[in-house]
Amino acid sequence: MRVVITGIGFFTSAGSVPADLLMSATAEVREKPQVLAGGITGYRIDEKQAVRFVPRKHLRKMDRLSIMTTAAISNALSDACIEVPNDNVGLVLDTGFGSAGSVSLVLEGIFGDEPKVSPLLFPNVVANAAAGQAAIAFGLRGPSSMLGGLGSLLYAFDLIRSGKATQLVVGGCDEITKIYARSLVEQGILSDAFFVGEGTAVFVLESDAFAKTRNARIYAEVQSVEMKVDFGYRPEGESAYAGSGIDTVIDRSVGTDTIDVFIGAGLEHQSLQKLERQYSSKLGVRKAIWPKSWTGEMFACSSALNIILGSILLYTHDTYHRVLSVSYDVTRGQSMAAVLKRYD
């Protein structure tokens, strides 16, 4: 069974429409990021721009990440021409931290001079809050899961191919706060040489047979997905990527296929990007892109945004036939590679 991408939606610090993403990928120029904490700079989203995509009656219970996630899912469903509510549509998302903003506010309330927690805010601290809010808002009653890291595409890919799901909205969501930025530096996960972004990026997966029955537009086919965890992982230094996860997933996913575009996961001056540049050269690709050069580290959202960028490139460029998208979870040592194929 062939698995295809029929809709995209994203609300991120790199923009919220395909033109923004393509322009960024070409220009790779951004305005200066703001200082967050611990020496880390980053781009924050004005979530007020997302409110118009969220059903008004659900807004009161949503926190910032839920609003951004619901907006991106709304755009993906609309782009795929899927009517809601819908018993067939499921939701599978990744997240690195969940609703970091709500957790930060709750912690500030608990440890303040007069401890207090808002009853409307507290339910949003669970990691799957954003996915649950979006599923409720649009009546999505298919399989629903929230995963930590990079597993959503692999899981959704298997669900579609096995016939256990018909249509799935897949992707990742993460936000950044000053508390989390400082913690990432203190834990050695990020250094002050890095900058971060945030947002939600999702795409609709379904079988090509089902997509054809409803005359859906098909951006690309997901040909293969591979994932590996490096148990000896360290954020940087000599031990970084020692488990060879990146090497393994690239070799397994590519095989003997010709790759036209390589979309990497490394940040500039990071050892991961150096390794990826070696692979892109070895594969003889025509174009190599490192989106984090202009988006910053967006954690779970970065992986989904890479898939969306690859899908757009295949759909809009007749000369591209296969795209290799590589993702890496800097908080867990997870490596993922997916090959997207031009659908014809």
Side-chain angles (χ1 to χ4, degrees), residues 28-42:
E28 299 190 18
V29 175
R30 295 290 306 279
E31 61 183 21
K32 188 176 181 180
Q34 59 182 288
V35 178
L36 294 176
I40 288 184
T41 57

Side-chain angles (χ1 to χ4, degrees), residues 23 71 75 77 86 115 197 230 333 343:
M23 182 175 67
N75 289 341
L77 292 170
N86 198 308
D230 287 342
Y343 185 82

Side-chain angles (χ1 to χ4, degrees), residues 16-146:
S16 57
V17 296
D20 293 340
L21 191 57
L22 288 174
M23 182 175 67
S24 296
T26 302
E28 299 190 18
V29 175
R30 295 290 306 279
E31 61 183 21
K32 188 176 181 180
Q34 59 182 288
V35 178
L36 294 176
I40 288 184
T41 57
Y43 298 104
R44 292 266 290 172
I45 294 173
D46 179 5
E47 71 278 9
K48 295 177 183 178
Q49 300 300 316
V51 169
R52 67 183 185 276
F53 300 107
V54 180
R56 184 172 296 276
K57 66 179 181 179
H58 296 284
L59 270 174
R60 182 169 176 266
K61 296 181 179 180
M62 290 187 180
D63 66 352
R64 185 169 178 269
L65 185 63
S66 294
I67 290 173
M68 294 189 294
T69 301
T70 303
I73 291 172
S74 174
N75 289 341
L77 292 170
S78 176
D79 189 51
C81 297
I82 295 176
E83 296 183 1
V84 294
N86 198 308
D87 292 341
N88 293 321
V89 180
L91 182 60
V92 183
L93 296 182
D94 289 322
T95 188
F97 312 116
S99 296
S102 291
V103 174
S104 297
L105 289 173
V106 167
L107 290 175
E108 289 174 355
I110 292 175
F111 294 106
D113 294 334
E114 298 181 7
K116 59 182 179 180
V117 177
S118 166
L120 283 177
L121 182 63
F122 187 74
N124 287 298
V125 302
V126 296
N128 65 342
Q133 294 278 22
I136 292 171
F138 299 120
L140 307 182
R141 301 186 182 92
S144 180
S145 297
M146 191 75 159

Side-chain angles (χ1 to χ4, degrees), residues 2-4 6 160 166-167 204-208 210-211 214 216:
R2 300 172 71 181
V3 179
V4 296
T6 58
I160 297 290
T166 304
Q167 295 171 304
V204 176
L205 282 189
E206 55 188 297
S207 70
D208 69 322
F210 189 81
R214 62 186 197 87

Side-chain angles (χ1 to χ4, degrees), residues 159-322:
L159 285 176
I160 297 290
R161 287 198 304 174
S162 65
K164 295 179 180 178
T166 304
Q167 295 171 304
L168 293 171
V169 179
V170 186
C173 61
D174 265 310
E175 64 176 330
I176 195 71
T177 69
K178 291 183 177 180
I179 290 177
Y180 276 72
R182 185 169 62 248
S183 297
L184 289 169
V185 173
E186 292 175 353
Q187 295 299 317
I189 294 175
L190 293 181
S191 71
D192 56 13
F194 289 68
F195 71 103
V196 296
E198 61 177 9
T200 301
V202 296
F203 44 91
V204 176
L205 282 189
E206 55 188 297
S207 70
D208 69 322
F210 189 81
K212 287 178 180 178
T213 63
R214 62 186 197 87
N215 296 316
R217 171 184 53 195
I218 296 176
Y219 283 99
E221 176 184 352
V222 181
Q223 181 174 314
S224 64
V225 185
E226 295 288 343
M227 184 174 173
K228 187 178 185 296
V229 178
D230 287 342
F231 292 105
Y233 147 83
R234 293 294 183 274
E236 273 296 328
E238 295 181 0
S239 297
Y241 325 113
S244 301
I246 289 290
D247 307 74
T248 301
V249 296
I250 289 178
D251 289 338
R252 287 178 179 175
S253 59
V254 173
T256 58
D257 290 333
T258 299
I259 301 297
D260 299 301
V261 180
F262 182 101
I263 303 179
L267 283 151
E268 192 173 2
H269 306 308
Q270 188 184 33
S271 55
L272 173 57
Q273 187 175 125
K274 294 178 182 178
L275 177 63
E276 290 177 325
R277 287 187 181 277
Q278 293 173 8
Y279 256 102
S280 65
S281 177
K282 177 182 176 181
L283 292 170
V285 300
R286 296 163 55 194
K287 186 177 184 64
I289 311 171
W290 281 269
K292 290 180 185 178
S293 296
W294 69 87
T295 67
E297 175 61 68
M298 301 174 74
F299 307 99
C301 181
S302 291
S303 174
L305 202 62
N306 279 11
I307 297 295
I308 289 176
L309 177 57
S311 301
I312 294 173
L313 289 172
L314 285 169
Y315 187 72
T316 57
H317 292 71
D318 294 339
T319 57
Y320 294 156
H321 298 281
R322 281 187 178 83

